[in-house]
Amino acid sequence: MNAVAVAVRKEIACQGAITFAHFMRLALYCPQIGFYERESDTVGRSGHFITNASIGPLFGELLAFEFARWCEFLPEGPVMLVEGGGHDGRLALDILNWLSTRRPRLHDRVSYHLLEPSPRRADWQRTRLKNHLARVRWNPGLEALEEGGINGVVFCNELLDAMPVHRFGWDANAGVWFEWGVTVEDSRFVWCRLPLTSEPALSNPGERESQQRVGPPRMPVELLRVLPDGFTTEDCPEAETWWRTAARSLRNGRLLTIDYGLEGEEFFQPSRSAGTARAYSGHHLIADLLEEPGMRDLTAHVNFSSLIRAGEEEGCVTERFCSQTDFLMGIAGRALDSREDFGGWDESRRRQLQTLIHPEHMGRPFRVLLQCR
């Protein structure tokens, strides 16, 4: 039995059962032993899953090119690039490499902030970014930057889909929602039904949104009446709170996320009656979400409707919501028109772009939300 499984069993022994959000947090982020803590090579062809940044440097170069364009419209003075979920620092390296060679004047104005609560991942990032340490700062979260405000870009790539989700099921006979919990039965982790909880949305009770209600989505009675028994969906208050905090922290600039996700009503299509939570190992989908915690990647689709609403409630304007294909093709077109600034397009760059925009690869599953202030 692996160390994370032991930690989960201890939690269940104390409480009888835990929410899936608690299970997911332990499986992915348990200090020193969680899935994202135990090794730095979980990403890429030799790891468990592929990300935009692991395809090659082009993704970061395109983002850097676009960030430079956005920064032209910012007030004079220091510029902050704030990345959430930097993992091993690969995307940060590609962005900073491009800025240092193609936009040195902007590079000299930039402070690059990695939001990283894990000391272990921060060490991986420092190693990778050893040639850029003068420009990089580490912060455990957005709260450290909120007081002074951010002049620049706050962004994340495939971060919010890895935040712990609560899973809710519909009891058609009783006409009520329940929460899917996790317990132990015959030495295995199994699902169990829990009553709805008012558990804080965040693990840190000191944060402002910590009393945000955790619960199933509010839906029209007409839709509830036709939901099949056991219909399952997810709620991720942590993702909404992260986005809300980022929007509130932004003084001038843009807020960007690129991730797997859906609009609110898309979660209730018949094909998603089991929800969107998935487990992956070695690039293969694993049927049992509860099998070998800490050894599998766990993810769930982002609710973009909730992010749009949260950002707008904090005063941001939604500039764009589109597929990754549309977003990157727009940037690539501008880069092609600016060969002197961006450089040539060799075969490697063309292959990377094809993977990033192809609808059967990364182009259609990933969506892009861009808000500004």
Side-chain angles (χ1 to χ4, degrees), residues 217-240:
R218 293 177 174 84
M219 301 169 58
V221 174
E222 296 76 14
L223 180 54
L224 287 174
R225 286 173 179 163
V226 299
L227 281 184
D229 187 57
F231 186 96
T232 296
T233 190
E234 297 92 13
D235 180 43
C236 188
E238 291 190 28
E240 181 177 330

Short mmCIF file of all heavy atoms in Angstrom, two decimals, residues 217-240:
data_model
loop_
_atom_site.label_atom_id
_atom_site.label_comp_id
_atom_site.label_asym_id
_atom_site.label_seq_id
_atom_site.Cartn_x
_atom_site.Cartn_y
_atom_site.Cartn_z
N PRO A 217 -25.21 22.37 -8.12
CA PRO A 217 -25.66 23.56 -8.85
C PRO A 217 -27.15 23.79 -8.67
O PRO A 217 -27.94 22.84 -8.50
CB PRO A 217 -25.32 23.23 -10.30
CG PRO A 217 -25.30 21.74 -10.35
CD PRO A 217 -24.79 21.29 -9.02
N ARG A 218 -27.53 25.05 -8.70
CA ARG A 218 -28.96 25.38 -8.69
C ARG A 218 -29.52 25.19 -10.09
O ARG A 218 -28.96 25.71 -11.06
CB ARG A 218 -29.16 26.81 -8.21
CG ARG A 218 -28.77 27.01 -6.75
CD ARG A 218 -28.93 28.46 -6.33
NE ARG A 218 -28.70 28.63 -4.90
CZ ARG A 218 -27.50 28.78 -4.36
NH1 ARG A 218 -26.43 28.77 -5.13
NH2 ARG A 218 -27.35 28.92 -3.06
N MET A 219 -30.59 24.44 -10.17
CA MET A 219 -31.14 24.08 -11.48
C MET A 219 -32.64 24.29 -11.51
O MET A 219 -33.30 24.21 -10.47
CB MET A 219 -30.83 22.60 -11.78
CG MET A 219 -29.36 22.25 -11.80
SD MET A 219 -29.12 20.46 -11.85
CE MET A 219 -30.02 20.07 -13.36
N PRO A 220 -33.21 24.56 -12.70
CA PRO A 220 -34.67 24.66 -12.82
C PRO A 220 -35.35 23.36 -12.41
O PRO A 220 -34.83 22.26 -12.66
CB PRO A 220 -34.88 24.96 -14.31
CG PRO A 220 -33.57 25.47 -14.80
CD PRO A 220 -32.51 24.80 -13.97
N VAL A 221 -36.49 23.47 -11.76
CA VAL A 221 -37.23 22.29 -11.33
C VAL A 221 -37.52 21.37 -12.51
O VAL A 221 -37.48 20.13 -12.39
CB VAL A 221 -38.54 22.71 -10.62
CG1 VAL A 221 -39.39 21.49 -10.29
CG2 VAL A 221 -38.23 23.51 -9.36
N GLU A 222 -37.80 21.94 -13.67
CA GLU A 222 -38.13 21.14 -14.84
C GLU A 222 -36.98 20.21 -15.23
O GLU A 222 -37.20 19.08 -15.65
CB GLU A 222 -38.47 22.05 -16.03
CG GLU A 222 -39.72 22.90 -15.85
CD GLU A 222 -39.49 24.09 -14.94
OE1 GLU A 222 -38.30 24.41 -14.65
OE2 GLU A 222 -40.48 24.70 -14.50
N LEU A 223 -35.74 20.69 -15.07
CA LEU A 223 -34.59 19.86 -15.40
C LEU A 223 -34.37 18.79 -14.33
O LEU A 223 -34.06 17.63 -14.64
CB LEU A 223 -33.33 20.73 -15.54
CG LEU A 223 -32.03 20.01 -15.89
CD1 LEU A 223 -32.19 19.16 -17.15
CD2 LEU A 223 -30.89 21.01 -16.08
N LEU A 224 -34.55 19.16 -13.07
CA LEU A 224 -34.39 18.18 -12.00
C LEU A 224 -35.35 17.00 -12.16
O LEU A 224 -35.01 15.86 -11.86
CB LEU A 224 -34.61 18.85 -10.64
CG LEU A 224 -33.51 19.78 -10.14
CD1 LEU A 224 -33.94 20.48 -8.87
CD2 LEU A 224 -32.21 19.01 -9.90
N ARG A 225 -36.53 17.29 -12.64
CA ARG A 225 -37.55 16.23 -12.78
C ARG A 225 -37.15 15.16 -13.78
O ARG A 225 -37.63 14.02 -13.69
CB ARG A 225 -38.88 16.86 -13.19
CG ARG A 225 -39.58 17.60 -12.05
CD ARG A 225 -40.80 18.33 -12.56
NE ARG A 225 -41.49 19.03 -11.47
CZ ARG A 225 -42.39 20.00 -11.65
NH1 ARG A 225 -42.70 20.38 -12.90
NH2 ARG A 225 -42.97 20.57 -10.62
N VAL A 226 -36.29 15.51 -14.73
CA VAL A 226 -35.93 14.53 -15.75
C VAL A 226 -34.53 13.95 -15.55
O VAL A 226 -34.10 13.10 -16.32
CB VAL A 226 -36.03 15.15 -17.17
CG1 VAL A 226 -37.46 15.60 -17.45
CG2 VAL A 226 -35.06 16.31 -17.33
N LEU A 227 -33.84 14.39 -14.52
CA LEU A 227 -32.51 13.81 -14.25
C LEU A 227 -32.66 12.36 -13.81
O LEU A 227 -33.49 12.05 -12.95
CB LEU A 227 -31.78 14.59 -13.16
CG LEU A 227 -31.11 15.91 -13.52
CD1 LEU A 227 -30.37 16.45 -12.32
CD2 LEU A 227 -30.17 15.76 -14.70
N PRO A 228 -31.87 11.45 -14.37
CA PRO A 228 -31.95 10.04 -13.94
C PRO A 228 -31.41 9.87 -12.53
O PRO A 228 -30.57 10.64 -12.07
CB PRO A 228 -31.09 9.31 -14.97
CG PRO A 228 -30.14 10.34 -15.47
CD PRO A 228 -30.89 11.65 -15.44
N ASP A 229 -31.87 8.83 -11.86
CA ASP A 229 -31.39 8.55 -10.51
C ASP A 229 -29.88 8.29 -10.55
O ASP A 229 -29.38 7.56 -11.40
CB ASP A 229 -32.10 7.30 -9.97
CG ASP A 229 -31.76 7.05 -8.52
OD1 ASP A 229 -31.99 7.96 -7.70
OD2 ASP A 229 -31.24 5.96 -8.21
N GLY A 230 -29.16 8.93 -9.62
CA GLY A 230 -27.72 8.77 -9.55
C GLY A 230 -26.93 9.69 -10.46
O GLY A 230 -25.69 9.62 -10.49
N PHE A 231 -27.61 10.55 -11.21
CA PHE A 231 -26.90 11.51 -12.07
C PHE A 231 -25.88 12.27 -11.22
O PHE A 231 -26.19 12.77 -10.15
CB PHE A 231 -27.87 12.49 -12.71
CG PHE A 231 -27.23 13.41 -13.72
CD1 PHE A 231 -27.27 13.11 -15.07
CD2 PHE A 231 -26.57 14.57 -13.32
CE1 PHE A 231 -26.67 13.94 -16.01
CE2 PHE A 231 -25.96 15.40 -14.24
CZ PHE A 231 -26.02 15.09 -15.59
N THR A 232 -24.65 12.34 -11.71
CA THR A 232 -23.55 12.90 -10.93
C THR A 232 -22.94 14.11 -11.63
O THR A 232 -22.76 14.12 -12.85
CB THR A 232 -22.46 11.83 -10.71
OG1 THR A 232 -23.02 10.77 -9.91
CG2 THR A 232 -21.25 12.41 -9.99
N THR A 233 -22.63 15.11 -10.85
CA THR A 233 -21.94 16.29 -11.36
C THR A 233 -20.98 16.80 -10.29
O THR A 233 -20.99 16.29 -9.17
CB THR A 233 -22.94 17.39 -11.78
OG1 THR A 233 -22.25 18.43 -12.49
CG2 THR A 233 -23.65 17.99 -10.57
N GLU A 234 -20.15 17.79 -10.65
CA GLU A 234 -19.13 18.27 -9.73
C GLU A 234 -19.29 19.76 -9.45
O GLU A 234 -19.89 20.50 -10.23
CB GLU A 234 -17.72 18.04 -10.30
CG GLU A 234 -17.34 16.59 -10.51
CD GLU A 234 -17.66 16.10 -11.92
OE1 GLU A 234 -17.95 16.96 -12.78
OE2 GLU A 234 -17.63 14.88 -12.13
N ASP A 235 -18.69 20.16 -8.36
CA ASP A 235 -18.61 21.58 -7.99
C ASP A 235 -17.19 21.83 -7.49
O ASP A 235 -16.67 21.05 -6.69
CB ASP A 235 -19.64 21.92 -6.91
CG ASP A 235 -19.59 23.38 -6.50
OD1 ASP A 235 -19.48 24.24 -7.39
OD2 ASP A 235 -19.67 23.68 -5.30
N CYS A 236 -16.57 22.93 -7.95
CA CYS A 236 -15.20 23.24 -7.54
C CYS A 236 -15.13 24.66 -7.00
O CYS A 236 -14.73 25.58 -7.71
CB CYS A 236 -14.23 23.05 -8.69
SG CYS A 236 -12.49 23.19 -8.18
N PRO A 237 -15.51 24.87 -5.75
CA PRO A 237 -15.44 26.21 -5.17
C PRO A 237 -14.03 26.78 -5.16
O PRO A 237 -13.85 28.00 -5.25
CB PRO A 237 -15.96 26.00 -3.73
CG PRO A 237 -16.73 24.74 -3.77
CD PRO A 237 -16.07 23.88 -4.81
N GLU A 238 -13.01 25.94 -5.05
CA GLU A 238 -11.64 26.44 -5.01
C GLU A 238 -11.25 27.12 -6.32
O GLU A 238 -10.54 28.13 -6.32
CB GLU A 238 -10.67 25.31 -4.67
CG GLU A 238 -10.81 24.82 -3.25
CD GLU A 238 -9.69 23.88 -2.84
OE1 GLU A 238 -8.57 24.00 -3.40
OE2 GLU A 238 -9.93 23.03 -1.97
N ALA A 239 -11.70 26.56 -7.45
CA ALA A 239 -11.38 27.18 -8.73
C ALA A 239 -12.05 28.55 -8.85
O ALA A 239 -11.43 29.53 -9.29
CB ALA A 239 -11.82 26.27 -9.88
N GLU A 240 -13.31 28.62 -8.45
CA GLU A 240 -14.02 29.90 -8.52
C GLU A 240 -13.38 30.93 -7.59
O GLU A 240 -13.22 32.10 -7.94
CB GLU A 240 -15.49 29.71 -8.16
CG GLU A 240 -16.29 31.00 -8.25
CD GLU A 240 -17.77 30.80 -7.96
OE1 GLU A 240 -18.29 29.69 -8.24
OE2 GLU A 240 -18.40 31.74 -7.45
#
